[in-house]
Amino acid sequence: MHDVRFTGEDILARQLELAEANYRRLREKHVRAISVLGAIGSGKTTLVEQAIDRLQGRGLRVAAIAADSAGDDDHRRFIARGAKSVNVNTQDDCHLDAHRVDHALDELPLEDVDVLFIENVGNLICPADFPLGADAEVVVISVTEGDDMVRKHPKIFAQTDFVVVNKVDLAAAVGVDPKRIVGDYSAVNPHGKLFLTSLRRGEGLDELLNALGLGCTNTQW
Amino acid sequence: MHEYTVVDELIGALVPRLCEHPGRVRAVVVRKGELRILSDHALVSAFEILARGTRLEGAELVVETVATVVSCAACGYRGSTGRLVEEGDHFSIPVLSCPRCGSEVRVDAGRELYVDHVTLSDDSPADG
């Protein structure tokens, strides 16, 4: 028996390199990229829709990559708002990866884009291990999933700096106290930023956009 | 289920690197940072399935955990983190904040995922 030792190169090195290449490519074109991930039905698409309206209203050019296992519903919603959009079907894969984002970027006129939203497949867990090359990552959950989402996935929230807790207008109806989610999150991630939103009503969105450096006072980057 | 993607990448990267090393592969030892969202059990079963028909078939995948190490620019601390322990919920996870001064920290270890070594025996796979 003998051992062959390796130099410690990451198993996902190929993914990391692709993610870094995406990051550099977006930077060169002065595109600010925001990755949006979270559970099915939490409001990721609504967040991107509302952000498109808000940012376009200020003259910014917004594009989106809409990833789903199948179909082009989200993609159509973004197009209907006037954003450029690329549809990506991951089929049986539970997450988007940097390689697919690279191909999607080929289809976008990046010179004419200021802000790009990359909406991942509805899945809280799997996308966490696959960096895409975005500037910031936002995890979206909603009160209808219960007040124990952070407790159930502490490792994800410990590493997520921007968390949106959506549908707070429904909190009383589903018997959830958003304060409990806020408390759990600050225990696991004392430096993270959490936003309570009702995205269908557009509430809480400005605070999130400000924190992402996309507020009306800080559109230069 | 993304463990399958990870193991697929692992096998694809590892097999060509073993070309110059004859012998039967007995074990593949992977070191995984504790902050990774990857199930050891799922990694092992994915490896068992995806290694079939490759040089790695029949080898054991061993997953070792790497503890989190952080460093703090504010006070110069470097070391382990405080942990949030919930016995009822069966978790103990590192809190990414300086245990000495409470500032934000940089993660120096805990997110890695790499092959540390492969153990080979001197018989060839053809020997049965």
Side-chain angles (χ1 to χ4, degrees), chain B residues 19-37:
Chain B
C19 286
E20 292 165 20
H21 303 280
R24 184 199 289 266
V25 182
R26 295 292 184 177
V28 175
V29 179
V30 164
R31 291 179 61 76
K32 182 193 79 167
E34 66 171 330
L35 293 168
R36 287 277 187 172
I37 321 285

Side-chain angles (χ1 to χ4, degrees), chain A residues 6 16 27 39 41 59 71 90 94 96 111 127-129 176 191 206 217 219:
Chain A
F6 291 88
L16 295 172
R27 276 273 141 159
T90 60
C94 50
L96 199 53
E111 292 79 8
D129 271 313
V176 162
H191 305 292
D206 281 331
T217 55
T219 53

Side-chain angles (χ1 to χ4, degrees), chain A residues 86-195:
Chain A
V86 179
N87 193 47
V88 178
N89 284 144
T90 60
Q91 298 180 352
D92 296 331
D93 272 343
C94 50
H95 59 272
L96 199 53
D97 63 30
H99 185 232
R100 283 196 161 105
V101 169
D102 174 39
H103 284 297
L105 293 179
D106 289 342
E107 294 178 42
L108 285 170
L110 295 178
E111 292 79 8
D112 302 324
V113 175
D114 297 311
V115 181
L116 171 69
F117 288 95
I118 306 172
E119 186 188 336
N120 219 306
V121 180
N123 184 326
L124 183 59
I125 299 170
C126 302
D129 271 313
F130 294 86
L132 304 177
D135 293 282
E137 199 167 74
V138 179
V139 167
V140 186
I141 57 174
S142 70
V143 295
T144 58
E145 294 146 32
D147 60 9
D148 49 9
M149 283 293 278
V150 173
R151 303 173 72 77
K152 285 180 174 172
H153 305 94
K155 237 157 81 170
I156 289 177
F157 290 98
Q159 301 176 72
T160 301
D161 293 332
F162 298 99
V163 172
V164 168
V165 179
N166 192 26
K167 308 184 193 177
V168 289
D169 51 322
L170 302 179
V174 295
V176 162
D177 180 3
K179 284 199 202 90
R180 188 172 172 214
I181 304 175
V182 173
D184 287 344
Y185 179 61
S186 65
V188 80
N189 191 340
H191 305 292
K193 296 186 175 72
L194 182 145
F195 304 87

Side-chain angles (χ1 to χ4, degrees), chain B residues 78-92:
Chain B
R78 186 170 193 277
S80 59
T81 62
R83 300 187 76 89
L84 187 66
V85 181
E86 297 274 348
E87 295 202 355
D89 292 339
H90 305 291
F91 72 71
S92 161

Side-chain angles (χ1 to χ4, degrees), chain A residues 1-6 8-12 14-15 95 125-126 129-130 151 154-155 159 188 190-191, chain B residues 2 5 9 17 34-37 89 93 97 102-104 111 113-120 122:
Chain A
M1 293 276 203
H2 64 282
D3 291 346
V4 176
R5 300 217 152 255
F6 291 88
E9 181 188 317
D10 204 285
I11 289 168
L12 293 175
R14 203 172 60 103
Q15 294 288 344
H95 59 272
I125 299 170
C126 302
D129 271 313
F130 294 86
R151 303 173 72 77
K155 237 157 81 170
Q159 301 176 72
V188 80
H191 305 292
Chain B
H2 61 303
T5 312
E9 298 265 353
R17 290 176 189 217
E34 66 171 330
L35 293 168
R36 287 277 187 172
I37 321 285
D89 292 339
I93 58 155
S97 186
S103 300
E104 290 190 50
R111 289 195 171 126
L113 179 69
Y114 62 90
V115 178
D116 184 69
H117 67 273
V118 168
T119 302
L120 295 128
D122 297 329

Side-chain angles (χ1 to χ4, degrees), chain B residues 39-112:
Chain B
S39 143
D40 292 359
H41 178 75
L43 287 170
V44 168
S45 77
F47 184 81
E48 229 175 83
I49 292 164
L50 295 174
R52 282 178 199 156
T54 76
R55 173 91 188 274
L56 305 175
E57 181 168 351
E60 181 192 5
L61 181 74
V62 179
V63 183
E64 296 177 352
T65 302
V66 181
T68 303
V69 176
V70 296
S71 53
C72 174
C75 76
Y77 173 84
R78 186 170 193 277
S80 59
T81 62
R83 300 187 76 89
L84 187 66
V85 181
E86 297 274 348
E87 295 202 355
D89 292 339
H90 305 291
F91 72 71
S92 161
I93 58 155
V95 175
L96 300 178
S97 186
C98 178
R100 195 154 72 187
C101 76
S103 300
E104 290 190 50
V105 288
R106 190 185 69 198
V107 175
D108 293 335
R111 289 195 171 126
E112 54 278 85

